[in-house]
Amino acid sequence: MIDVAQLKAHAKGLLEKGTVRTVFGYRKSTAGLLAEPAGITEAAQADDLIFDPSCVQNLALYLVNDKKHQAEKRSDDKRPVAVVAKGCDSRAITVLLQENHFPRESVHVIGVSCEGTGVVDASKLARKLGNKKALAVAFDGADAFAVTTNEGTQSIAAAEVMAERCLECRSAHPTLSDVVFGEAKAERGLHTPFQAVKAKIKESEGDRWAYWSRQFDRCLRCYACRSVCPMCYCDECVVDSINFVIAPDTTAEEKAERIKWIERSPAKSESAMYHMVRAIHLAGRCIDCAECERVCPVNIPLRLLNTRLEMEAFETFQYSPGSDPELPTLTSSFRDTDPNSFIR
Amino acid sequence: MAKVEQTAKDETGFEPKIVAFLCKWCSSAGSDLAGVSRLQYPSNAVPITIMCSGSMSPMFVLSAFNKGADGVLVSGCHPGDCHYLKGNFYARRKIYLVQKLLQFIGLENDRFRMSWVSAAEGAKFAQVMHDFVADIKKIGPQTRLKAKRP
Amino acid sequence: MTKTVAMEKMLKKADLAAWMAKLGQTRLFAPALEDEDVWNYMPVADAKAVGLDHPNTIRPPKGFVFPQREVLYKFSQIPSEAPILTETLPDPEPTVVFGVRPCDSRGLVRQDIVFTKEYEDPYYHGRRAKVIYVGQACNTPPSANCFCSSVGGSPCAEDGLDVLMTELDGVYHVKAVTARGAELLAKGGDLFKDASATDKAHVEKTHAAAKAHPQRPIKDLGKVAGALKKNFDSPAWDEMAKACIGCGICTFLCPTCHCFDINDEVTCSSPCSGERVRTWDTCQFPDFTMHTSGHNPRHDLGSRLRQRVCHKFLYFVENHDTQQCTGCGRCVSLCPVGIDIVSVVERLGQP
């Protein structure tokens, strides 16, 4: 079982020695059960760090945001940042390295094993508990969570309340790290991957459209899915045409001529376009942290949409995102044996 | 003239709007050849010349459907013939993924198509257009991704 | 708005559907599951299925009067002539919304202030005049992060509502707050019985019990504005916003947030045609304050968090003498990274 005291001590050591600028980890939140991401800069704050099944967020996002922030501040502090990374998060960091988003030496990866159990799905847990309110959740052996509620602590089989993605996880142990805490358990694979996608494909085309059209129709366009995604790091995004990078030499004509690809209105057609652009942009890059689906306030099944192309990457092109930083990316490579029969 | 127009329309009067993204070096030249060879083929496509099928952005496809295209065609050089040596190989992978995504959300299969047409294949280009228009006429206008504009 | 009347009636729970059936030519909305775990105000298809036992809806009911997309006018042009503008004032069908929580109706009062005080917005008022809000008192807090009592509200507040319903054992206590509400009750005819003195005592007891439920406290609400002003330059803003991902959940789903953006949706550029539309916008997006020059005065997450909190607890108080937060708890519960407005106010809004 992971020893959080060691994790804290390590983070404290890094900050005391000043070898890293910030440590991104998790701490207890005041807002609810799930942990909150914490960027700590002082050794004393390391005591707040936790790691338990409520640590769902993918902290690779903060490496991306930190890079933007440093550039904006014109900071010359070149020390690396440390980040606590689960298996899925480490894959995200690998993809970022693969895309040369930042050099390897600029990040110190504190790998953590989410062991046999993965992280918790708060809404599954709430349904399971009924009227009881979960206050804390901890690892309990190889296949259970210890859930503390207002009525005491109980043990719940992890498979019942585990996040959907964790059930399908094929590499729970960090693939990339400078130091790892917790037992190495690479395989979990309680469910066969891509089950949901395969079931959806079997439906008729009309049913599929009816399903997705209902999902896209209730999109709020709060862009939480984009904001939470470590892979959505573009400076310019097609969905907000006024957010294009404006340099001192950008002329009025250039601004006026920028194409407005998508209207801001939350119309079905526009939201469909937004989600599809994101899905295609994530092809071969999505490491299935499922944060997009978790944060969506109206529960659009974004994981289902985004894993559609991951299934294609895996089954057709034998490509698993985040497995090797040296590999060329999915869409910047090809093989002679790629499918050709769909072309007339 | 009137007779020709009638044959081009089916009984509902539906004329598909097709946006065809043709690579400059092969497919665009192929469509020119179809024209100068005086081959008859439906005039439903708006051709847009791109430098290479590899430069095709999935955004163009989605945007065409959003703006009301009934079908989108991407056409490039045959494998091995790319002017930029391997652009069409990248395109093949990318377009394959786009097609799978469009199918997944439930857009009709026949609305998005890719073809290899070389500069010498005017007849093939005419055939591709014939087939595409006929298939789209069978499924009718595209309403799923089209923006509802007044 | 409308003259205050007080009319207290009793309605059997089983008669709710019958009352809805008598409302005639109006669109009815009530909280229902739009999808798994997604509570929203949905059109009432089957009045018998309306349970009014919902937790807080994901979307507040502000969209009925301030929709996410509002067409302001259409424009079109005959070639070589000047463009023609056609105003498109909304004229919605009369609507009754059931199951509105008191925090959300207090949110409407905040929106009324914004869209009335300095300028009477015809689009907002065109809709507001047609929408009747039937509230439902919260006997138990509908969300884990409720704090209405800490921001001057209460689980049985009547502000902004036309009717307030309170569930007792097997019956609803129904109180008409406005003349529009009284009319709505009148349509129910003899489904309603006058509330007896016992009923009134029962309702008072229920309300008192609801108010006694523990909620997240904010100390010294009156001093929060001053403290925030003093802490405007505090480095704690940046620290607390460190986890912020910059999405629009907290503001889009806030019952009081009312900022919008205006865009032209052009269908054809020559001859021009299209619509000018107003859509929700949020101070949490970087382009909200982006200048044409490329300079962005609120360039980082800390300044945007400060804007959101100060707008609610400082600027709105200065301008309109009341907080622009009604304690519904949505921004706390739905924030992907647990940014908690109560903790922020606790930290920076206390003298």
Side-chain angles (χ1 to χ4, degrees):
Chain A
M1 191 108 67
I2 185 162
D3 185 358
V4 182
Q6 285 179 3
L7 173 73
K8 286 181 190 175
H10 182 71
K12 190 174 247 170
L14 289 173
L15 288 167
E16 264 167 4
K17 277 181 249 146
T19 43
V20 300
R21 192 153 38 79
T22 310
V23 177
F24 287 106
Y26 303 93
R27 69 171 161 229
K28 186 96 187 109
S29 162
T30 54
L33 173 71
L34 297 183
E36 68 179 29
I40 58 170
T41 46
E42 321 259 333
Q45 295 170 307
D47 289 329
D48 295 343
L49 292 181
I50 58 166
F51 187 74
D52 61 34
S54 74
C55 300
V56 296
Q57 290 94 351
N58 181 349
L59 299 184
L61 169 72
Y62 294 97
L63 297 176
V64 173
N65 290 358
D66 181 73
K67 184 186 165 186
K68 273 185 198 160
H69 193 58
Q70 289 294 105
E72 215 166 65
K73 277 200 309 189
R74 300 210 171 92
S75 163
D76 50 9
D77 188 344
K78 295 280 183 269
R79 284 178 298 162
V81 282
V83 62
V84 175
K86 304 184 288 292
C88 42
D89 311 342
S90 80
R91 292 201 297 278
I93 298 168
T94 306
V95 175
L96 292 168
L97 291 174
Q98 201 179 358
E99 294 172 358
N100 295 322
H101 193 65
F102 41 68
R104 178 68 183 88
E105 58 275 14
S106 74
V107 50
H108 174 89
V109 182
I110 308 172
V112 284
S113 169
C114 43
E115 319 223 326
T117 51
V119 295
V120 76
D121 179 322
S123 44
K124 276 190 193 176
L125 182 63
R127 271 197 292 278
K128 170 89 185 158
L129 291 173
N131 290 327
K132 284 183 275 182
K133 191 178 159 233
L135 303 171
V137 53
F139 294 112
D140 182 14
D143 49 12
F145 293 136
V147 181
T148 309
T149 67
N150 40 357
E151 293 174 18
T153 303
Q154 67 188 101
S155 184
I156 295 180
E160 284 182 54
V161 291
M162 193 189 288
E164 212 53 37
R165 69 168 200 274
C166 296
L167 289 166
E168 294 178 17
C169 182
R170 284 164 284 131
S171 55
H173 201 67
T175 48
L176 170 106
S177 56
D178 295 285
V179 53
V180 192
F181 297 100
E183 274 171 67
K185 272 194 185 140
E187 290 279 329
R188 186 177 305 116
L190 295 171
H191 287 182
T192 331
F194 312 123
Q195 276 187 118
V197 175
K198 284 180 176 155
K200 190 52 74 188
I201 289 175
K202 284 202 190 98
E203 288 178 16
S204 77
E205 179 192 276
D207 286 353
R208 279 200 306 270
W209 172 247
Y211 176 80
W212 284 112
S213 126
R214 190 159 54 85
Q215 312 298 338
F216 295 147
D217 211 12
R218 66 165 187 272
C219 177
L220 276 168
R221 302 281 285 282
C222 65
Y223 300 136
C225 43
R226 175 186 71 170
S227 311
V228 84
C229 182
M231 301 308 155
C232 267
Y233 57 65
C234 300
D235 285 332
E236 304 182 346
C237 181
V238 290
V239 302
D240 30 32
S241 46
I242 46 170
N243 199 21
F244 283 117
V245 176
I246 297 171
D249 56 348
T250 311
T251 63
E253 266 102 353
E254 278 170 333
K255 285 179 206 164
E257 277 167 11
R258 274 165 176 174
I259 300 167
K260 198 172 170 191
W261 292 100
I262 299 176
E263 298 291 358
R264 191 162 196 170
S265 294
K268 195 197 298 176
S269 59
E270 310 304 300
S271 301
M273 186 129 127
Y274 161 58
H275 288 294
M276 284 199 295
V277 169
R278 233 179 72 77
I280 196 80
H281 213 159
L282 285 177
R285 306 170 68 230
C286 173
I287 47 80
D288 197 14
C289 67
E291 278 289 276
C292 46
E293 179 162 309
R294 181 186 68 85
V295 302
C296 180
V298 291
N299 289 5
I300 298 175
L302 292 165
R303 178 170 176 257
L304 181 64
L305 187 68
N306 295 331
T307 45
R308 171 65 188 92
L309 295 182
E310 281 341 294
M311 181 181 112
E312 217 53 64
F314 185 66
E315 297 190 344
T316 310
F317 304 108
Q318 294 75 48
Y319 184 91
S320 295
S323 50
D324 181 358
E326 302 304 321
L327 227 57
T329 60
L330 178 73
T331 47
S332 71
S333 55
F334 61 86
R335 290 185 199 153
D336 290 344
T337 52
D338 281 353
N340 194 61
S341 59
F342 72 102
I343 302 172
R344 307 266 165 160
Chain B
M1 259 322 260
K3 217 172 191 177
V4 176
E5 270 173 24
Q6 254 170 16
T7 50
K9 284 186 179 182
D10 67 356
E11 55 279 7
T12 57
F14 166 58
E15 266 317 311
K17 278 192 293 287
I18 292 173
V19 181
F21 294 94
L22 312 174
C23 95
K24 176 183 159 70
W25 305 99
C26 290
S27 298
S28 195
S31 78
D32 280 348
L33 183 63
V36 294
S37 313
R38 311 210 165 208
L39 296 173
Q40 290 274 329
Y41 68 93
S43 58
N44 300 56
V46 178
I48 296 178
T49 305
I50 50 177
M51 285 309 288
C52 174
S53 56
S55 71
M56 183 66 199
S57 163
M59 197 66 216
F60 300 166
V61 181
L62 297 172
S63 190
F65 283 126
N66 178 273
K67 292 184 169 49
D70 298 304
V72 175
L73 174 76
V74 178
S75 191
C77 313
H78 283 272
D81 292 353
C82 179
H83 187 81
Y84 306 100
L85 306 179
K86 46 191 186 178
N88 53 359
F89 287 113
Y90 293 123
R92 182 167 67 178
R93 218 172 232 214
K94 202 155 52 177
I95 298 299
Y96 176 80
L97 293 168
V98 175
Q99 196 176 47
K100 289 290 171 210
L101 183 69
L102 288 170
Q103 285 169 3
F104 189 59
I105 62 122
L107 186 77
E108 296 91 337
N109 278 355
D110 278 329
R111 295 211 187 270
F112 180 52
R113 199 165 274 189
M114 187 174 187
S115 64
W116 301 137
V117 172
S118 80
E121 293 177 321
K124 182 174 178 188
F125 183 79
Q127 191 57 45
V128 165
M129 290 315 302
H130 265 297
D131 294 349
F132 202 12
V133 171
D135 289 344
I136 291 181
K137 277 190 176 172
K138 269 182 238 155
I139 46 179
Q142 190 269 120
T143 54
R144 294 185 175 170
L145 295 177
K146 186 181 174 182
K148 303 279 173 291
R149 289 169 206 274
Chain C
M1 287 197 84
T2 11
K3 200 178 81 201
T4 317
V5 289
M7 180 161 93
E8 294 181 50
K9 300 272 186 187
M10 303 304 287
L11 175 74
K12 282 193 209 118
K13 272 187 92 169
D15 285 341
L16 178 65
W19 179 33
M20 285 183 170
K22 287 190 174 193
L23 297 179
Q25 297 301 315
T26 44
R27 297 187 304 161
L28 304 182
F29 285 86
L33 279 171
E34 184 176 12
D35 209 273
E36 199 180 0
D37 287 341
V38 186
W39 285 89
N40 193 9
Y41 291 90
M42 303 294 282
V44 176
D46 174 16
K48 287 197 183 69
V50 177
L52 297 186
D53 51 359
H54 52 286
N56 218 351
T57 52
I58 300 286
R59 285 171 204 250
K62 71 175 173 183
F64 290 106
V65 285
F66 176 47
Q68 190 166 2
R69 175 182 194 267
E70 179 91 82
V71 180
L72 300 180
Y73 58 78
K74 291 177 195 286
F75 49 87
S76 57
Q77 188 183 25
I78 297 164
S80 77
E81 283 181 25
I84 307 157
L85 307 184
T86 323
E87 197 173 45
T88 53
L89 283 172
D91 183 25
E93 278 177 65
T95 302
V96 183
V97 188
F98 283 89
V100 177
R101 298 291 184 186
C103 51
D104 289 342
S105 69
R106 291 186 75 231
L108 285 164
V109 179
R110 308 295 179 280
Q111 302 231 332
D112 286 343
I113 295 172
V114 173
F115 288 106
T116 313
K117 210 168 166 183
E118 273 171 39
Y119 170 72
E120 199 162 308
D121 184 87
Y123 300 92
Y124 181 85
H125 284 280
R127 294 183 187 277
R128 187 76 168 98
K130 295 289 182 71
V131 186
I132 296 178
Y133 286 98
V134 179
Q136 192 187 11
C138 310
N139 292 355
T140 50
S143 146
N145 287 308
C146 284
F147 58 98
C148 61
S149 308
S150 309
V151 284
S154 107
C156 48
E158 296 166 1
D159 347 6
L161 289 173
D162 296 291
V163 175
L164 177 70
M165 292 167 65
T166 310
E167 190 181 334
L168 306 174
D169 308 321
V171 284
Y172 290 114
H173 170 265
V174 187
K175 183 177 177 187
V177 183
T178 62
R180 294 200 302 177
E183 268 172 49
L184 207 66
L185 261 63
K187 284 186 188 160
D190 44 6
L191 289 173
F192 291 95
K193 304 273 175 293
D194 283 328
S196 67
T198 344
D199 292 330
K200 285 182 187 170
H202 194 174
V203 117
E204 261 171 45
K205 219 174 109 194
T206 310
H207 285 176
K211 284 180 192 163
H213 270 285
Q215 290 192 353
R216 307 194 57 192
I218 293 178
K219 278 176 286 166
D220 283 333
L221 186 65
K223 292 184 182 156
V224 168
L228 286 174
K229 198 166 200 171
K230 206 180 82 223
N231 288 328
F232 188 84
D233 290 316
S234 165
W237 292 111
D238 281 334
E239 202 189 310
M240 278 182 294
K242 225 170 199 169
C244 177
I245 61 171
C247 73
I249 290 180
C250 48
T251 42
F252 276 9
L253 297 174
C254 173
T256 68
C257 276
H258 50 258
C259 288
F260 57 78
D261 184 23
I262 294 177
N263 269 298
D264 284 346
E265 295 188 352
V266 181
T267 39
C268 182
S269 51
S270 178
C272 76
S273 72
E275 293 172 330
R276 176 157 290 192
V277 297
R278 150 165 115 184
T279 47
W280 291 354
D281 200 356
T282 157
C283 53
Q284 302 303 300
F285 288 164
D287 55 7
F288 186 75
T289 42
M290 177 74 87
H291 292 183
T292 324
S293 64
H295 170 68
N296 194 344
R298 285 207 284 270
H299 62 97
D300 61 1
L301 295 163
S303 57
R304 286 177 223 145
L305 172 70
R306 179 176 64 198
Q307 170 62 22
R308 178 165 77 91
V309 176
C310 287
H311 194 181
K312 297 194 181 302
F313 287 94
L314 168 59
Y315 313 140
F316 208 80
V317 177
E318 284 180 341
N319 295 332
H320 309 298
D321 276 332
T322 180
Q323 283 75 21
Q324 196 219 337
C325 170
T326 61
C328 71
R330 283 189 184 86
C331 59
V332 185
S333 304
L334 295 168
C335 177
V337 292
I339 292 176
D340 178 351
I341 196 165
V342 182
S343 305
V344 177
V345 170
E346 224 163 64
R347 178 149 174 206
L348 288 169
Q350 295 300 330

